[in-house]
């Protein structure tokens, strides 16, 4: 036996043991991507280096043997520096997406690709479970979200983006109309949390914290929960019956709902803090923004959210027959379409840019026009004119587009001396909303008049008080932004209550260069559009306009997904190591040595662009299976793994054993049966415990159409067993 020290720990090992094995046997982690006990040592990745006292060079622990008295450091400054360079070199030539662009662009980081794939395969129960990892109100959000996920969808580079939000609503509706999914709660923690505000942020935080085992109570100033989802979104877009069902699920988790409690009136932050262990302020932005236009004080001039709230409460303000809506966002669209339904004959949308620059969703703009709304593009109000204190007309400055502003949109500039006046009975200003500062007098505010909250922990100036949503930092935004903040805040509050720190470091992920992606081989397939009510019918009532997808339509639309994100994300050894270090592969960026190509047979898909040339697939195919269906072709940066003579896999000796797939540390090799459902292990791809030579071992079993098509060793016992492939296959069956 040899005596040595690794990271200050004295250990004994048998003579001939490698440093890597000695470390593993003693629970000490050393990263490696090219090592496996089933094959000979290769030393290709360069990640397993360690520093030995008294030795000038770093040692590759996979091959270096232990010696008496050795003192090893596996995480010294030199070691970490070397590993970072090795990882940067590997990742600079790794052409793949860890996470799909749609998910990255979702403020709540919803696994869009995952649930879209599950819907495509008819697995609606699994889809809603995946969605509800992030979104507690999917049926509601699916109807109203402006879906930033879709703007990042790569399918639009082929034809049109996937209808991700509509698919979310479909899966959620299936759930609401069946046995509603209710997540399992953790054991009670004994901690109590008060949430002020029952909008999407407050409800989401309550949902997440209740699942964590905390006792949660929401206090809201309105008669019912829902916030702007209830009091700012018209019934024709979001039926409140749907919202009620989703809120009842949150209440079913044990969340106490207290309505009619306004901050600064019935409750105070200090008062709640004396009773609860933590307080989350999610009061929203309930004050319409001013346009600073002369005449705003006249009767008949209303704020956008004030107008919408009055209608939803059943007490609509008087708007008359001619209405001007100022603004180009979704609130403006909600206001103008609501005005139509209230009977207004002339409804104008005044917007200072053109139709192309409108931030509202295109479908909202188009459907409003179908319902009779008239657009006054390139005009800007310069005065609201009144008579006897009541607005009678609006004077518009004619505009033209100048240079682009900071957002990239061309700035509107006045056309000197050119104006227009239109007679109106009311004006609705739909240009934004803000926090009612008086409600949060106990908290420190930003220069913009919003609650100041830490961007990572969401803590305010008062210990144990957190703030999220439209009331904080940058102000009002879309509901999915508030939901994303609520998810992250829940983790921060949970850590606060446990006395723990949260990791705010942004882990590394690989992203493809959008400019080099080739879509020429993708077949065009038209986006499935759900049916909507006829324009003439819908303008006379508040029935839900969109009728949603049928099951057949939903599966067809979901099947259009290009599946950009890596299916091996949760198992990827390459990513696991990359995220341990702060790396910058861009500094080694150059021409990609491999093309983004796919080569597959009936069961295995091979993508050489994700390959890091670790050699495990080549060596296992040769040394373990004695087949050599694939090999290393070329030299230097042009080297790639390929079948002999670059033949397709199904024209080689490959037996579909799956060993190469199992050992691959990236997503370069994937079993097709696992691809079908886009989950790492499922009924078509599972681990089975079998008896091999009297010992319990595990094998990886692949099935296709219910039949066993491949069995490969999964653990060390199975790999080292002296057993033929035929016998292994019989055991797997």
């Amino acid at each position: 036996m040899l005596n040595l020290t690794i990271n200050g720990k004295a250990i004994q090992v048998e003579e001939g043991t490698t440093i890597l094995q000695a470390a593993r046997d003693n629970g000490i982690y050393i990263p490696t991507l090219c090592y496996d006990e089933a094959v000979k040592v290769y030393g290709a990745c360069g990640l397993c280096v360690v520093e030995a006292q008294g030795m000038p060079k770093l040692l590759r622990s996979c091959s270096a043997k232990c010696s008496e008295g050795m003192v090893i450091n596996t995480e010294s400054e030199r070691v970490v520096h070397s590993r970072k360079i090795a990882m940067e070199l590997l990742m600079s030539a790794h052409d793949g997406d860890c996470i799909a662009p749609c998910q990255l662009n979702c403020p709540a980081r919803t696994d869009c690709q995952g649930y879209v794939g599950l819907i495509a395969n008819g697995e609606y129960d699994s889809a809603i479970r995946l969605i509800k990892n992030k979104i507690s109100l999917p049926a509601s959000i699916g109807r109203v979200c402006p879906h930033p996920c879709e703007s990042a969808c790569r399918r639009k580079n082929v034809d049109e983006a996937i209808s991700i939000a509509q698919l979310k609503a479909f899966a959620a509706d299936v759930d609401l109309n069946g046995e509603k999914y209710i997540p399992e709660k953790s054991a009670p923690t004994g901690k109590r949390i008060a949430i002020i505000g029952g909008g999407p942020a407050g409800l989401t935080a309550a949902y997440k914290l209740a699942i964590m085992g905390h006792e949660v109570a929401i206090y809201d100033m309105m008669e019912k929960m829902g916030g702007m989802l209830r009091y700012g979104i018209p019934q024709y877009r979001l039926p409140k019956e749907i919202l009620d069902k989703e809120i009842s699920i949150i209440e079913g988790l044990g969340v106490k709902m207290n309505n009619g409690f306004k901050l600064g009136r019935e409750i105070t932050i200090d008062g709640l803090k004396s009773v609860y262990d933590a307080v989350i302020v999610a009061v929203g932005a309930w004050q319409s923004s001013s346009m600073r236009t002369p005449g705003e004080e006249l009767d008949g001039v209303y704020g956008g959210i004030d107008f919408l709230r009055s209608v939803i409460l059943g007490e609509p303000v008087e708007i008359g027959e001619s209405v001007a809506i100022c603004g180009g966002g979704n609130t403006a669209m909600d206001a103008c379409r609501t005005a139509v339904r209230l009977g207004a004959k002339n409804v104008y949308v005044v917007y200072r840019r053109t139709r192309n620059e409108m931030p509202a969703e295109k479908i909202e703009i188009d459907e409003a026009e179908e319902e009779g709304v008239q657009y006054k593009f390139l005009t800007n109000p310069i005065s609201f004119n009144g008579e006897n204190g009541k607005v009678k007309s609006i004077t518009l400055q004619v505009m033209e587009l100048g240079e682009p502003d900071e957002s990239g949109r061309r700035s509107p500039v006045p056309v000197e001396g050119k104006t227009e006046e239109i007679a109106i009975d009311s004006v609705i200003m739909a240009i934004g909303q803000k926090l009612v500062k008086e409600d949060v007098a106990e908290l420190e505010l930003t220069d913009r008049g919003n609650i100041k909250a830490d961007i990572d922990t969401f803590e305010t100036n008062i210990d144990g008080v957190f703030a999220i949503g439209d009331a904080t930092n940058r102000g009002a935004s879309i509901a999915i932004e508030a939901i994303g903040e609520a998810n992250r805040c829940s983790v921060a509050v949970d850590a606060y209550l446990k006395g723990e720190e949260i990791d705010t470091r942004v882990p590394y992920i690989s992203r493809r260069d959008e400019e080099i992606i080739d879509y020429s081989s993708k077949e065009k397939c038209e986006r499935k559009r759900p049916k909507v009510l006829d324009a003439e019918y819908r303008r006379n009532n508040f029935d839900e306009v969109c009728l949603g997808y049928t099951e057949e339509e939903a599966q067809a639309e979901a099947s259009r997904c290009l599946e950009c994100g890596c299916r091996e994300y949760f198992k990827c050894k390459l990513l696991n190591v990359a995220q341990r270090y702060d790396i910058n592969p861009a500094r080694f960026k150059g021409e990609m040595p491999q093309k983004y190509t796919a080569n597959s047979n009936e069961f295995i898909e091979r993508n050489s662009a994700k390959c890091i040339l670790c050699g495990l697939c080549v060596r296992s195919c040769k040394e373990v299976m004695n087949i050599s269906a694939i090999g290393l072709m070329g030299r230097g940066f042009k080297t790639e793994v390929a079948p002999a003579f670059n033949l397709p896999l199904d024209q080689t000796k490959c037996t579909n054993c799956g060993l190469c797939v199992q050992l691959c540390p990236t997503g370069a090799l994937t079993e097709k049966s696992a691809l079908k459902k886009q989950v790492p292990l499922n009924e078509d791809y599972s681990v089975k415990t079998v008896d091999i030579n009297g010992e319990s071992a595990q094998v990886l079993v692949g099935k296709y159409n219910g039949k066993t098509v491949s069995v490969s060793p999964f653990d060390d016992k199975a790999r080292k067993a002296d057993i033929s492939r035929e016998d292994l296959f019989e055991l797997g069956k």
Side-chain angles (χ1 to χ4, degrees), residues 142-194:
R143 285 167 163 81
V144 304
C145 186
H147 41 70
C149 54
E150 293 182 25
S151 65
C153 176
R154 290 203 183 121
R155 182 78 208 192
K156 70 178 185 294
N157 298 316
V158 179
D159 34 55
E160 295 178 275
I162 304 294
S163 188
I164 300 172
Q166 192 66 52
L167 288 169
K168 184 194 292 107
F170 166 80
D173 285 351
V174 171
D175 179 64
L176 288 179
N177 293 321
E179 293 185 15
K180 302 179 184 67
Y181 166 63
I182 299 177
E184 186 177 342
K185 293 171 61 177
S186 298
T189 63
K191 299 294 185 180
R192 304 179 69 213
I193 303 159

Side-chain angles (χ1 to χ4, degrees), residues 131-266:
I131 293 168
K132 282 206 163 188
N133 281 339
K134 299 292 184 181
I135 300 177
S136 61
L137 305 160
S140 300
I141 296 302
R143 285 167 163 81
V144 304
C145 186
H147 41 70
C149 54
E150 293 182 25
S151 65
C153 176
R154 290 203 183 121
R155 182 78 208 192
K156 70 178 185 294
N157 298 316
V158 179
D159 34 55
E160 295 178 275
I162 304 294
S163 188
I164 300 172
Q166 192 66 52
L167 288 169
K168 184 194 292 107
F170 166 80
D173 285 351
V174 171
D175 179 64
L176 288 179
N177 293 321
E179 293 185 15
K180 302 179 184 67
Y181 166 63
I182 299 177
E184 186 177 342
K185 293 171 61 177
S186 298
T189 63
K191 299 294 185 180
R192 304 179 69 213
I193 303 159
I195 298 174
I196 308 171
L203 288 167
T204 299
Y207 172 82
K208 299 294 285 189
L209 290 164
I211 292 171
M212 293 174 183
H214 302 302
E215 185 180 327
V216 185
I218 305 178
Y219 294 86
D220 190 89
M221 66 179 180
M222 302 300 287
E223 184 182 347
K224 290 185 176 183
M225 295 291 172
M228 282 297 166
L229 290 178
R230 182 180 299 280
Y231 296 105
I233 305 291
Q235 176 78 4
Y236 68 83
R237 273 218 295 151
L238 173 55
K240 301 309 174 279
E241 300 80 10
I242 296 290
L243 181 61
D244 288 337
K245 286 181 181 180
E246 297 202 297
I247 292 174
S248 70
I249 293 175
I250 299 174
E251 192 170 18
L253 288 169
V255 175
K256 294 181 175 63
M257 310 253 179
N258 305 292
N259 289 97
F261 287 82
K262 180 174 170 56
L263 184 60
R265 190 178 64 195
E266 287 82 13

Side-chain angles (χ1 to χ4, degrees), residues 40 76 114 171 200 322 345 390 409 414 425 455 465-466 488 493-494 555 571 575 578 656 663 679 693:
K40 295 175 184 176
S76 70
S322 296
K345 292 182 171 51
K390 176 75 170 65
R409 294 188 297 172
D425 299 310
I455 58 172
V465 178
F466 304 78
R488 299 193 300 277
V493 171
D494 182 62
Q555 290 192 22
K571 299 193 298 178
L575 180 63
N656 302 309
L663 296 183
V679 288
N693 298 334

